[in-house]
Amino acid sequence: MFQLEFMCNAWVASTFIALTCGVIGVFVIARNLSFLAHTLSEIGFAGASFGVFTGLAPLDGMLLFTMISAVAVGEMSTEQSRREAAIAAISSLFMGLGILFLSLANKSASYATNILFGSIIGISVGEVWQLVGLSLFMLAVMFFAYRYLAFDSFDGIGARVQHLPKHLLSVLFLLLLAISVSISAQIVGSLLVFVLLTLPASSARYLVHTVPRMLLVSVGLALVGVWGGLALGYYTNWPVTFFIATIEVVVYLATLLYARVTQGD
């Protein structure tokens, strides 16, 4: 398997994507922003399509659209009563824009499929290095801002009492989420990036109860998903994204069952 260059590229890329999604996913779940992550993934599809239309790299288009939109969508959906309507409106608009840009660029349906569902085996060395650089940047920012983001995410009232800059932290987190969505779409596509951003962290929440342990378990489960998906995809010639999604769903259901049994439900 590792004698093939494209599999080595895929393995490195998937590892760093699992690290970023496992870390950022814990805070996505704590902040109840799962639907926003899903919305950003659809905005990423429009951004990638825009990149193809204008001659930019798809990842650059994703970064442009998601980072600009992240803060705007977050502001629109801060109130619970407006959140679902705002997400539905934004999702519909950007899915339509993505289809429009692909149509104007005269790209085939197979190209759209690669953007929507990922094409990890086709990732180049240059794209791997770009992805690794973005991942390391995001993880470095998370490391330095960890104490404040954890306080704000898991104890919002306490953070307000301590006069933490909640708005600034919210903007910072949304930008980090946008980067995570953009780089993760390289593996699972813009439609299934939701899987890596939510399921490993959701599973970790049922197994452990401190933030550091949740981060470790979430990253571990994300790595199991992407590594297992790559290996199974290589040996069966089935889509890697199918195996990644299946592994993460099975793990989540198992942890949910474990939590119910241990709690006596």
Side-chain angles (χ1 to χ4, degrees), residues 96-115:
L97 286 174
I99 295 171
L100 172 64
F101 289 135
L102 280 180
S103 176
L104 293 175
N106 295 319
K107 292 297 181 180
S108 64
S110 61
Y111 203 94
T113 301
N114 288 340
I115 296 176

Side-chain angles (χ1 to χ4, degrees), residues 63-126:
L63 287 169
L64 176 65
F65 269 48
T66 55
M67 293 183 73
I68 291 175
S69 303
V71 178
V73 173
E75 292 294 334
M76 290 178 64
S77 58
T78 51
E79 295 183 19
Q80 183 67 33
S81 60
R82 298 179 181 178
R83 179 172 297 176
E84 293 185 5
I87 288 175
I90 295 296
S91 298
S92 302
L93 171 63
F94 278 94
M95 283 297 290
L97 286 174
I99 295 171
L100 172 64
F101 289 135
L102 280 180
S103 176
L104 293 175
N106 295 319
K107 292 297 181 180
S108 64
S110 61
Y111 203 94
T113 301
N114 288 340
I115 296 176
L116 288 170
F117 299 105
S119 181
I120 182 57
I121 61 173
I123 191 169
S124 66
V125 176

Side-chain angles (χ1 to χ4, degrees), residues 37 138 208 218 231 251:
M138 199 220 77
V208 293
S218 178
V251 170

Side-chain angles (χ1 to χ4, degrees), residues 4-218:
L4 301 174
E5 182 181 0
F6 74 88
M7 284 303 297
C8 293
N9 293 339
W11 212 269
V12 173
S14 64
T15 298
F16 279 91
I17 286 173
L19 289 173
T20 57
C21 286
V23 170
I24 203 76
V26 170
F27 297 93
V28 168
I29 298 300
R31 289 172 172 266
N32 295 317
L33 292 178
S34 299
F35 288 108
L36 178 55
H38 178 66
T39 302
L40 286 177
S41 68
E42 295 180 346
I43 293 173
F45 166 67
S49 303
F50 176 77
V52 172
F53 173 61
T54 59
L56 294 172
L59 178 57
D60 294 336
M62 284 186 183
L63 287 169
L64 176 65
F65 269 48
T66 55
M67 293 183 73
I68 291 175
S69 303
V71 178
V73 173
E75 292 294 334
M76 290 178 64
S77 58
T78 51
E79 295 183 19
Q80 183 67 33
S81 60
R82 298 179 181 178
R83 179 172 297 176
E84 293 185 5
I87 288 175
I90 295 296
S91 298
S92 302
L93 171 63
F94 278 94
M95 283 297 290
L97 286 174
I99 295 171
L100 172 64
F101 289 135
L102 280 180
S103 176
L104 293 175
N106 295 319
K107 292 297 181 180
S108 64
S110 61
Y111 203 94
T113 301
N114 288 340
I115 296 176
L116 288 170
F117 299 105
S119 181
I120 182 57
I121 61 173
I123 191 169
S124 66
V125 176
E127 290 170 333
V128 170
W129 280 112
Q130 184 182 22
L131 187 152
V132 169
L134 288 170
S135 298
L136 290 176
F137 169 77
M138 199 220 77
L139 292 172
V141 174
M142 286 293 298
F143 175 79
F144 288 109
Y146 166 76
R147 178 181 176 185
Y148 303 103
L149 281 174
F151 197 7
D152 186 45
S153 300
F154 290 89
D155 187 8
I157 297 177
R160 190 175 292 110
V161 171
Q162 294 295 323
H163 302 292
L164 290 184
K166 290 181 64 66
H167 181 70
L168 179 61
L169 289 172
S170 177
V171 171
L172 174 63
F173 177 77
L174 289 171
L175 291 174
L176 293 174
L177 177 59
I179 295 174
S180 299
V181 167
S182 298
I183 62 178
S184 302
Q186 303 274 331
I187 288 279
V188 293
S190 59
L191 285 186
L192 294 179
V193 67
F194 185 71
V195 171
L196 286 178
L197 280 170
T198 57
L199 290 186
S202 297
S203 300
R205 183 177 56 178
Y206 291 120
L207 298 175
V208 293
H209 304 290
T210 64
V211 180
R213 290 183 178 180
M214 286 179 64
L215 291 170
L216 289 174
V217 173
S218 178

